[in-house]
């Protein structure tokens, strides 16, 4: 047994008992009381230091965080913070976790036991996968999700954490719906193709007193559907309510939430707790993605879920995690260009807008990440001597955008009004900044030049990258710098001996 040779059998039992007393104290007295949580993603080319982000979260009163993987840097920064954590296992690990209980035990040992102690990281949930039944996955994870869930919960139980940490599965809201012939919440049910396996998961969650976790995105109801009533996506709209029997719906969030409530009722679990794993509104990358709409939605959401009013069918406070904390410039944009702009904070930790996270309707500003270091104030732009008709211009813009983030240039986005020259400068600069301002990254067949004059305007910002990075870009730059230094020494040596 792990620990028996270190403490002796009898002492091990005593130590385990004392440890569990400490953990029970942590579970009941740690942070994570009121307020909404946030999702903290890490798909960025240049990441802020985790300890600075945690300090910012504490300054803003953020008491809950959902992570998409067990990142040692982030978990280390969360030690002693009291912030309640939902720790996730990525989808690519589900097959291993489902087939090998020992792998689940090893994962829990490395990522839960290591950090979950009195004064450590206040872990409350383990999220097994992320939206594994999403229709666009075409059933890839249907056979592995439940076995992985069982093995992780059993590993938590074996470690002595089963009463304190619950395994759950964050599902996308596409696992349930109402028929087109009767599109109201009370007709909602789980999709026929996954209903049986979903009910088996519900049975297991219920047996462990674990919640059902779901990601709801009203923005996506609006995205790509010009006929969707805009006001129905928000909580202060003036649209005519949708009537479902004795219930009235004034917003799509409540309608979606109650569709799930009805699906759970029909499955035999009318009282199962529901956690909103992801919900939010992007600020760029689409005609409806802007700061004004994001503030309107998120402030309305926070006020709504914390008020205790709940939905028409189920009253009470709704445990909720906003998506997301910080913009991620390397997220896939297959769903849409908005994917890189969900953050409450910019890539450098600056808040995008005022937001009261307490739900008390106080018009207060968010606190930025402090002490952020930036690269020099230099921008890569199109040389003014280059003509727009230059045959190399279009392909160089395409090249720059294919290896950086040009989502702000799209239709309806913040930088869309730029001219052709402006588009080129924006693309060149994004590539230059992503490459950590490497000297070779501002050439583009001689079309580009460096400037110390900020080309930003009141709507379109040309960023200067932060001077941090755990990305391959930074690693490649360091390797290149070392290579150039060695080469320089070799040249000097040859000149001396010759």
């Amino acid at each position: 047994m792990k620990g028996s040779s270190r403490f002796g059998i009898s002492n091990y039992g005593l130590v385990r008992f004392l440890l569990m007393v400490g953990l029970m104290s942590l579970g009941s007295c740690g942070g994570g009381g009121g307020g909404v949580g946030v999702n903290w993603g890490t798909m960025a080319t240049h990441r802020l230091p985790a300890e600075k982000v945690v300090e910012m979260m504490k300054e803003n009163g953020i008491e809950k965080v959902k992570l998409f993987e067990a990142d040692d840097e982030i978990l280390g920064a969360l030690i002693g913070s009291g912030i309640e954590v939902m720790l996730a296992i990525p989808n690519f690990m589900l097959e291993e976790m489902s087939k090998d209980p020992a792998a689940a035990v090893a994962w829990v040992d490395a990522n839960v036991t290591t950090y979950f102690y009195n004064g450590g990281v206040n872990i409350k949930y383990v999220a097994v996968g992320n939206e594994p039944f999403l229709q666009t996955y075409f059933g890839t994870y249907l056979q592995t999700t439940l076995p992985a869930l069982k093995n992780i919960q059993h590993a938590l139980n074996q470690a002595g954490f089963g009463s304190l940490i619950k395994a759950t599965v964050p599902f996308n809201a596409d696992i349930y719906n109402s028929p087109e012939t009767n599109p109201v919440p009370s007709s909602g049910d789980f999709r026929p193709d996954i209903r049986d396996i979903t009910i088996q998961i519900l049975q297991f969650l219920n047996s462990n007193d674990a919640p059902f976790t779901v990601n709801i995105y009203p923005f996506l109801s609006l995205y790509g559907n010009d006929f969707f009533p805009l006001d129905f996506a928000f909580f202060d709209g003036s649209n005519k309510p949708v009537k479902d029997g004795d219930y009235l719906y004034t917003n799509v969030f409540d309608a979606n939430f109650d569709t799930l409530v009805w699906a759970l009722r029909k499955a035999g679990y009318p009282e199962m707790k529901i956690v909103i794993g992801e919900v939010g509104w992007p600020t760029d990358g689409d005609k409806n993605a802007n700061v004004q709409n994001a503030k309107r939605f998120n402030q309305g959401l926070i006020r709504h879920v914390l008020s205790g009013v709940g939905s028409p069918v189920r009253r009470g406070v709704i445990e909720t995690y906003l998506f997301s904390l910080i913009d991620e410039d390397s997220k896939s944009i297959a769903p849409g260009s908005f994917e890189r702009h969900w953050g409450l904070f910019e890539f450098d930790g600056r808040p995008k807008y005022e937001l009261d996270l307490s739900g008390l309707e106080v018009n207060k500003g968010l606190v930025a990440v402090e002490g952020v270091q930036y690269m020099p104030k230099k921008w890569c732009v199109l040389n003014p001597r280059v003509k727009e008709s230059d045959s190399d211009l279009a392909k160089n813009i395409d090249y720059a955008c294919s290896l950086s983030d040009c989502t702000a240039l799209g239709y309806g986005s913040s930088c869309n009004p730029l001219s052709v020259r402006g588009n080129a400068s924006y693309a060149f600069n994004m590539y230059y900044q992503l490459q950590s301002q490497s000297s070779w990254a501002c050439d583009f067949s001689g079309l580009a030049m460096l400037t110390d004059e900020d080309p930003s305007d009141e709507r379109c910002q040309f960023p200067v990258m932060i001077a941090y990075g755990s990305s391959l870009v930074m690693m490649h730059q360091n390797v290149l710098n070392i290579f150039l230094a060695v080469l320089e020494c070799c040249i000097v040596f040859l000149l001396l001996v010759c």
Side-chain angles (χ1 to χ4, degrees):
M1 289 178 64
K2 181 180 178 182
S4 59
S5 60
R6 182 178 177 184
F7 299 111
I9 297 297
S10 58
N11 286 341
Y12 176 80
L14 177 60
V15 169
R16 187 180 183 86
F17 171 76
L18 293 174
L19 175 63
M20 289 307 300
V21 169
L23 291 175
M24 290 174 68
S25 173
L26 174 65
S28 60
C29 300
V36 295
V38 293
N39 284 266
W40 182 358
T42 58
M43 300 181 72
T45 57
H46 295 69
R47 288 167 50 179
L48 289 162
E51 65 274 9
K52 289 184 178 291
V53 177
V54 170
E55 189 58 36
M56 174 269 285
M57 291 168 62
K58 291 165 61 179
E59 289 289 328
N60 285 297
I62 297 173
E63 299 179 343
K64 303 175 184 178
V65 66
K66 179 169 167 276
L67 307 177
F68 291 93
E69 60 186 340
D71 185 296
D72 286 335
E73 180 189 0
I74 293 177
L75 289 171
L78 286 167
I79 292 175
S81 68
I83 295 173
E84 190 177 277
V85 177
M86 181 186 291
L87 184 61
I89 298 172
N91 287 341
F92 73 85
M93 298 180 68
L94 292 180
E95 183 172 5
E96 180 185 14
M97 297 295 166
S98 69
K99 292 180 177 179
D100 186 3
V105 170
W107 188 91
V108 168
D109 185 56
N111 301 299
V112 178
T113 305
T114 300
Y115 296 100
F116 189 63
Y117 53 86
N118 196 16
V121 180
N122 185 13
I123 301 171
K124 183 176 182 180
Y125 301 114
V126 172
V128 181
N130 186 46
E131 301 184 337
F133 291 0
L134 195 68
Q135 286 180 294
T136 53
Y137 289 155
F138 301 108
T140 301
Y141 306 108
L142 286 182
Q143 304 305 316
T144 56
T145 300
L146 178 56
L149 174 67
K150 288 181 175 180
N151 285 340
I152 288 295
Q153 187 64 63
H154 292 157
L156 290 169
N157 296 345
Q158 182 178 323
F161 306 142
S163 63
L164 301 172
I165 304 176
K166 303 298 181 180
T168 183
V169 179
F171 287 105
N172 186 278
D174 77 345
I175 70 165
Y176 54 87
N177 54 40
S178 298
E180 293 183 5
T181 56
N182 189 26
V184 293
S186 61
S187 66
D189 205 346
F190 294 108
R191 283 189 352 238
D193 60 307
I194 50 99
R195 193 174 193 277
D196 290 344
I197 187 65
T198 302
I199 290 178
Q200 292 178 51
I201 290 174
L202 292 175
Q203 291 171 341
F204 186 77
L205 293 175
N206 185 65
S207 68
N208 286 282
D209 196 26
F212 187 95
T213 304
V214 64
N215 302 338
I216 297 177
Y217 282 104
F219 170 80
L220 297 180
S221 298
L222 188 63
Y223 177 70
N225 183 357
D226 291 332
F227 299 102
F228 189 89
L230 177 65
D231 272 4
F232 200 59
F234 299 93
F235 296 88
D236 58 354
S238 57
N239 272 15
K240 181 180 178 181
V242 174
K243 185 173 176 59
D244 180 14
D246 294 332
Y247 301 114
L248 293 178
Y249 291 90
T250 59
N251 65 82
V252 70
F253 176 87
D254 279 350
N256 192 309
F257 185 90
D258 278 355
T259 302
L260 172 59
V261 173
W262 281 104
L264 290 172
R265 283 186 177 186
K266 293 170 185 176
Y269 300 95
E271 303 301 325
M272 177 168 282
K273 179 181 177 180
I274 298 172
V275 172
I276 305 300
E278 297 177 24
V279 61
W281 199 281
T283 55
D284 211 345
D286 181 68
K287 63 181 180 180
N288 292 309
N290 53 60
V291 166
Q292 293 75 25
N293 282 349
K295 179 178 180 178
R296 178 186 178 190
F297 177 82
N298 282 329
Q299 194 63 79
L301 171 81
I302 293 168
R303 183 169 57 248
H304 184 66
V305 299
L306 297 182
S307 68
V309 172
S311 68
V313 176
R314 183 182 285 192
R315 301 299 182 183
V317 172
I318 303 173
E319 185 172 357
T320 301
Y321 294 82
L322 292 174
F323 191 87
S324 66
L325 184 61
I326 300 172
D327 278 353
E328 301 170 78
D329 66 353
S330 63
K331 283 196 71 178
S332 168
I333 57 172
S337 294
F338 54 83
E339 280 294 334
R340 295 176 177 174
H341 302 281
W342 290 99
L344 303 177
F345 295 81
E346 303 279 3
F347 72 97
D348 57 358
R350 290 178 295 116
K352 297 179 180 180
Y353 47 88
E354 291 185 339
L355 193 67
D356 171 27
L357 295 173
S358 70
L360 299 178
E361 302 186 48
V362 178
N363 197 25
K364 57 183 293 189
L366 295 171
V367 178
V369 174
E370 296 183 354
V372 176
Q373 297 178 19
Y374 293 85
M375 292 180 182
K377 290 187 176 181
K378 296 187 297 182
W379 294 264
C380 180
V381 298
L382 180 66
N383 192 310
R385 293 193 295 270
V386 175
K387 296 181 179 179
E388 292 183 10
S389 59
D390 191 295
S391 59
D392 290 332
L393 185 58
K395 65 181 181 182
N396 275 280
I397 292 174
D398 289 343
Y399 175 80
C401 287
S402 70
L403 296 172
S404 64
D405 179 20
C406 291
T407 52
L409 294 176
Y411 171 72
S413 301
S414 60
C415 298
N416 181 242
L418 291 177
S419 65
V420 173
R421 304 190 68 84
N423 282 341
S425 292
Y426 187 88
F428 292 169
N429 185 64
M430 291 304 295
Y431 179 84
Y432 175 66
Q433 301 296 340
L434 185 144
Q435 299 296 337
S436 304
Q437 296 189 355
S438 297
S439 57
W440 52 265
C442 186
D443 180 60
F444 298 102
S445 304
L447 302 178
M449 59 172 281
L450 290 176
T451 180
D452 57 6
E453 294 184 13
D454 187 352
S456 303
D457 60 34
E458 61 182 11
R459 181 173 177 181
C460 179
Q461 297 299 307
F462 284 61
V464 170
M465 187 51 69
I466 56 177
Y468 308 98
S470 57
S471 64
L472 290 175
V473 171
M474 295 294 287
M475 182 180 73
H476 290 164
Q477 182 192 8
N478 291 337
V479 171
L480 179 63
N481 289 340
I482 294 170
F483 173 76
L484 292 174
V486 172
L487 181 63
E488 182 180 1
C489 291
C490 292
I491 293 172
V492 171
F493 174 76
L494 290 174
L495 290 173
L496 288 175
V497 297
C498 295

